[in-house]
Amino acid sequence: MDAGIGDALAYAAFAALGAAGAAIVLGALFRPVRRKPGPRRRSPFRASADIQQRSRPMSDQTRSIDHDVLEAARADAPTGQAQPAARSAINQYPLLANPHIKLAGPVDHAMYASFCDQLSAAPRDGAIVIAISTLGGDPEVARLMGDEVRLLHEAEGRELLFLGKVAVYSAGATFMSAFPVDKRFLTRGTRLMLHERIMNKTVEVSGPLKTCVAVLKATLHEIEHSIAIEEEGFRRIVAGSRVDFDELVRRAPENWYIEADEAKEKGLVLDVV
C-alpha cells in the first residue's frame, strides 16, 4: 500500500473516532434532567374528540340501566301519591264504589222516608251498602234507621255495610253505631264527630207548688233518660274497638273529631277507602 494512502486512511479513522468521542462527551455534559411525571396536558383536539364522544347517543344497554335506576328512584320518592303499582283500597271492596242507599243532609224524617224508599228498591239478595254524609240532626231518627238495619239483618240474615263520606257528625255517628265495627267504612278525609246530646228547653215554673214540682221532675227525668240513651249509643259505637267507653264519655262534651285514618287505627271502622 502506498504510504500516502495509508496515512490518509489512518487520519480518517482517527477523525471518525474523535467525532464519536466528542458526541459522547457532549451528551454527558448536556444530558436533560428528568422531572417527576406530572399530569399530562391534554390536547385541545383530544378534548374536542371526547366531547363529541360524550354527545353521542347512549347505547341501548346503557339507556336500559339508566331507565331502571330512574324508575327505582321514582318508586322510592316520597311524592305523597300512591304509586301506580299500589292497589287502591276501593279495589279490595268494589261493592262500596256504588252504594245501594245514598243519604245526605240533616238526619230528619225526610231522610228516613228516603232511606225506606231506597231500601225497598235495593236488591233482594247480597250485601247492601248504605252511604251517608251528614252534619247531624235528630238522634231519634238515626236510632229509627238503625233499628231498620238491625231488623233486616236479624230477619233475613242480610249483610249491611256502612260507608261514611266527608262528614259523619252527631246523629250520623248514632246511625253508624247500628253497624258492627267490621261493617263500617269511611272514605279518605272523612271526619267523625262524637259529642253529647244537646237540649234547648226553657222550663217555666208557674201555678200550684205541687204542679211546679211535677214540671221540674218531668224535665229532670227527660234529661236522665236522654243521658242513658246517649250512653247506650256510646257503648255501641266503641264496642269491638280500641276506644274505651270512659274515654269517649270524657271527650264527648268538647266535641271529639276523629279523622278517618285515626278512626281506623282506633278500630272504630274496618277500613278507609
Side-chain angles (χ1 to χ4, degrees):
M1 179 183 297
D2 187 76
I5 295 174
D7 292 340
L9 291 175
Y11 179 79
F14 178 80
L17 180 60
I24 293 172
V25 173
L26 290 175
L29 292 175
F30 296 97
R31 179 181 301 170
V33 179
R34 291 187 178 180
R35 298 180 179 177
K36 294 182 180 180
R40 297 177 59 185
R41 295 185 179 180
R42 303 183 64 181
S43 168
F45 301 102
R46 180 60 181 274
S48 176
D50 288 348
I51 293 173
Q52 293 177 3
Q53 179 68 22
R54 293 175 184 175
S55 64
R56 294 177 184 172
M58 294 185 296
S59 66
D60 293 340
Q61 181 178 4
T62 304
R63 185 182 296 107
S64 175
I65 294 173
D66 288 353
H67 177 75
D68 293 341
V69 172
L70 180 60
E71 289 301 315
R74 287 175 177 172
D76 294 337
T79 60
Q81 298 180 353
Q83 298 301 322
R87 287 173 57 85
S88 174
I90 193 64
N91 293 331
Q92 303 177 34
Y93 314 103
L95 197 63
L96 301 179
N98 189 22
H100 304 94
I101 299 175
K102 301 177 181 179
L103 306 172
V107 179
D108 54 16
H109 289 283
M111 175 178 283
Y112 176 68
S114 175
F115 170 76
C116 292
D117 291 342
Q118 295 182 67
L119 185 60
S120 298
R124 296 299 177 184
D125 299 318
I128 298 177
V129 179
I130 304 173
I132 187 171
S133 178
T134 180
L135 297 179
D138 190 336
E140 302 309 325
V141 173
R143 294 177 63 222
L144 182 58
M145 294 193 302
D147 255 0
E148 298 289 352
V149 169
R150 178 183 62 82
L151 292 171
L152 182 60
H153 173 70
E154 293 179 355
E156 301 182 11
R158 302 287 296 276
E159 182 181 30
L160 294 103
L161 306 177
F162 175 91
L163 178 62
K165 293 184 173 182
V166 182
V168 182
Y169 292 178
S170 188
T174 300
F175 179 55
M176 184 184 75
S177 70
F179 299 79
V181 292
D182 62 345
K183 306 299 181 185
R184 303 175 190 168
F185 297 85
L186 298 176
T187 57
R188 285 197 298 265
T190 296
R191 262 71 175 177
L192 302 177
M193 194 272 278
L194 311 177
H195 70 156
E196 287 186 331
R197 289 192 174 201
I198 298 174
M199 173 180 284
N200 295 311
K201 185 174 184 178
T202 300
V203 179
E204 182 177 349
V205 179
S206 178
L209 296 179
K210 290 182 180 179
T211 302
C212 294
V213 172
V215 170
L216 293 175
K217 283 186 175 180
T219 302
L220 179 61
H221 291 162
E222 181 182 1
I223 295 172
E224 291 173 343
H225 282 275
S226 295
I227 292 174
I229 294 171
E230 173 186 85
E231 291 184 350
E232 290 173 4
F234 283 175
R235 292 186 188 278
R236 285 194 298 269
I237 288 176
V238 301
S241 74
R242 288 182 286 278
V243 178
D244 186 72
F245 169 75
D246 292 333
E247 180 184 7
L248 177 52
V249 171
R250 177 176 56 84
R251 302 189 68 168
E254 57 191 35
N255 292 3
W256 188 12
Y257 288 84
I258 308 174
E259 197 270 335
D261 289 331
E262 183 183 0
K264 178 182 176 181
E265 292 175 2
K266 292 180 178 297
L268 290 169
V269 299
L270 178 63
D271 210 344
V272 177
V273 296

